[in-house]
Amino acid sequence: MEKLTLFNTLTRKKENFKPLVDASVGLYTCGPTVYDYAHIGNLRTYIFEDVLKRTLQFNGYKVKHVMNITDVGHLTSDADEGEDKLEKGARREQKTVWEIADFYTNEFKKDIGLLSIEEPNIWCKATDYIKEQIKFVEALEKKGLTYKTSDGIYFDTAKYTDYAHLAKLNVAGQQEGARVEVNDEKKSSTDFALWKFSPEGEKRQMEWQSPWGVGFPGWHLECSAMSIAKLGEEFDIHCGGIDHIPVHHTNERAQNWGLTGKETVKTWMHGEFLVIDSGRMGKSEGNLIRLQTLVDKGFDPLAYRYLCLQTHYRQKLNFSWESLTAAQNALEKLRGTIAEFGESVKSKNKYIADFTTAVNDDLNIPKALGVMWDLIKDVNVPSGEKKFIVLAFDEVLGLELHSVEKDVVPEDVQVLAKERETARTAKNWKRSDELRNEALQKGYSIEDTSEGSKIRRIK
């Protein structure tokens, strides 16, 4: 099989992938902070990570996948200032932090299910690993890598000479331009909290006793403690979004070194932003779009997955409703074609090799999609063989093509579509919307095209 190459953020180059243990891969992916809904920009990263996992499995590797759930310690500022995002969410919704965490964890799991993202082998909640995190800090303290301030225990980044390497940081420049609001008790602007003390006179909903006083763990600590607990002091791949590189993952790498004296993660991988109107999509930017918003507009969630597959994970993806519509049309065309292929017939030809070459070249999924469409158009390949090969490709693509069948629209949905057409002709837009929503409840969307109404089954 073609060698698998992956871009390593640490070295800034593509490298031949060789796991630490033959035929087995340890994979850690940074999970959600469960204080609010995930938006489609967040979900793009999880799609990239799912494609990576599927590609590893496609190459015959057994993947041990660990993902964290951040339910404590993620402050509203990367400078270890501000309030805990879970506490803020609890106040916003007048619920307990535990209720907030449970609700948004479940919502996140629903979203990734709709996107055909495989769940990790192991989910890790930060609050379930408080003892491990405390022991981690104690070990760093014994090595002289920490110091205490009035608000917490901090990692002394000056002790780690390679601190800036992952993000290619200009630490001196950061020092010179340090913002006035940053904690002036810190020795360096890059030092980060391992353990934060609960504010004096304030009772937090999430706080624990520790050797240093009542408090809670820093955000970066949880991922180091849990990844090492589940994958060992050295493991193969750690993933996240590119926004994790300069702070979160740089700090993880530093404290990992502090504990183990090793380069714990062999390959760091990061997905680029989803952008809208050339700006990053995010909660702080106020332009987030939820997956449910796409569903409410009649889009299949897998159309969004298809849209993401069309752009390489290390390139920005500009989201627009027009591009999502085009992706949905392409996915429908693909499903319709597969439905006409009939029974699958085992085959092996050059298209399998070409697809493998593409996905193994740092997950070049846009090229892999091109290979798939070339196969579909090739009149010299019998349809049964095409179906077998496309379904093999879908083990990586994750478009759930194995479940495609010829779709017979139920009579009651056809009646709704006809009634809606009558309502539109009469310009009764309210009734038209009501009928469309009734169809959605039955699992079908009614779309308006230049050729009239089109009925489509949604996931």
Side-chain angles (χ1 to χ4, degrees), residues 6-158:
L6 300 173
F7 185 86
N8 188 350
T9 304
L10 186 63
T11 60
R12 295 299 195 276
K13 64 182 181 181
K14 287 196 284 189
E15 300 173 342
N16 288 332
F17 177 71
K18 189 177 186 307
L20 292 163
V21 178
D22 288 343
S24 182
V25 177
L27 171 66
Y28 187 89
T29 58
C30 275
T33 299
V34 285
Y35 72 106
D36 206 341
Y37 294 104
H39 58 71
I40 60 173
N42 302 140
L43 294 169
R44 185 197 180 193
T45 298
Y46 298 111
I47 292 171
F48 137 61
E49 293 164 346
D50 184 61
V51 169
L52 168 64
K53 179 180 177 179
R54 288 170 176 269
T55 298
L56 291 166
Q57 293 169 337
F58 187 72
N59 279 269
Y61 294 117
K62 183 179 180 181
V63 180
K64 185 178 181 181
H65 178 196
V66 180
M67 182 185 290
N68 66 299
I69 295 291
T70 298
D71 56 358
V72 69
H74 193 170
L75 304 186
T76 53
S77 165
D78 283 340
D80 295 314
E81 302 293 328
E83 65 182 318
D84 189 300
K85 290 185 176 184
L86 268 292
E87 298 272 355
K88 183 178 180 180
R91 190 174 65 253
R92 177 189 69 226
E93 299 186 23
Q94 296 185 325
K95 297 177 181 177
T96 70
V97 288
W98 305 98
E99 290 171 334
I100 289 289
D102 285 346
F103 177 81
Y104 288 113
T105 296
N106 290 331
E107 290 300 305
F108 174 73
K109 290 181 178 180
K110 287 179 188 176
D111 282 348
I112 65 172
L114 290 171
L115 290 168
S116 192
I117 294 172
E118 295 181 358
E119 287 201 16
N121 303 96
I122 300 171
W123 292 98
C124 290
K125 287 170 57 178
T127 51
D128 288 342
Y129 287 79
I130 298 299
K131 288 182 180 178
E132 288 83 354
Q133 293 179 74
I134 289 173
K135 287 180 181 178
F136 200 116
V137 180
E138 288 180 310
L140 297 179
E141 188 176 49
K142 288 177 182 177
K143 294 185 177 184
L145 300 175
T146 70
Y147 62 91
K148 184 178 180 180
T149 71
S150 61
D151 74 337
I153 305 298
Y154 282 78
F155 186 93
D156 189 348
T157 56

Side-chain angles (χ1 to χ4, degrees), residues 184-348:
D184 59 10
E185 292 182 69
K186 288 166 61 171
K187 296 179 180 180
S188 167
S189 64
T190 56
D191 294 351
F192 57 92
L194 298 163
W195 186 265
K196 292 281 285 187
F197 302 139
S198 294
E200 195 171 335
E202 180 183 319
K203 174 67 177 175
R204 284 173 48 90
Q205 293 185 60
M206 288 183 171
E207 59 183 13
W208 296 265
Q209 289 288 347
S210 79
W212 314 281
V214 176
F216 56 98
W219 173 38
H220 320 298
L221 182 62
E222 64 173 88
C223 284
S224 287
M226 295 189 292
S227 63
I228 290 174
K230 294 301 181 183
L231 297 173
E233 291 189 356
E234 293 179 281
F235 61 92
D236 298 293
I237 305 174
H238 192 320
C239 298
I242 61 164
D243 52 325
H244 285 149
I245 299 172
V247 180
H248 186 44
H249 286 171
T250 288
N251 291 346
E252 274 189 64
R253 181 171 174 259
Q255 61 200 10
N256 287 352
W257 163 83
L259 181 75
T260 69
K262 301 173 184 177
E263 192 71 69
T264 297
V265 178
K266 301 309 172 189
T267 302
W268 291 89
M269 297 182 68
H270 297 90
E272 253 289 3
F273 288 134
L274 180 79
V275 297
I276 184 165
D277 297 328
S278 299
R280 171 192 171 187
M281 180 177 289
K283 295 181 178 70
S284 59
E285 285 76 10
N287 61 357
L288 64 87
I289 299 171
R290 287 179 54 203
L291 187 64
Q292 186 60 44
T293 307
L294 308 191
V295 174
D296 291 343
K297 288 180 176 287
F299 290 98
D300 187 326
L302 291 180
Y304 179 63
R305 183 180 177 105
Y306 190 93
L307 176 65
C308 291
L309 297 180
Q310 293 177 301
T311 300
H312 193 271
Y313 78 92
R314 287 194 290 113
Q315 294 179 335
K316 287 183 174 67
L317 170 58
N318 191 53
F319 176 83
S320 69
W321 296 109
E322 292 78 12
S323 63
L324 183 60
T325 299
Q328 179 143 293
N329 291 339
L331 180 59
E332 282 303 308
K333 180 180 178 182
L334 176 59
R335 287 170 170 163
T337 303
I338 296 296
E340 297 297 328
F341 278 164
E343 291 297 317
S344 173
V345 178
K346 193 170 184 179
S347 174
K348 186 175 183 179

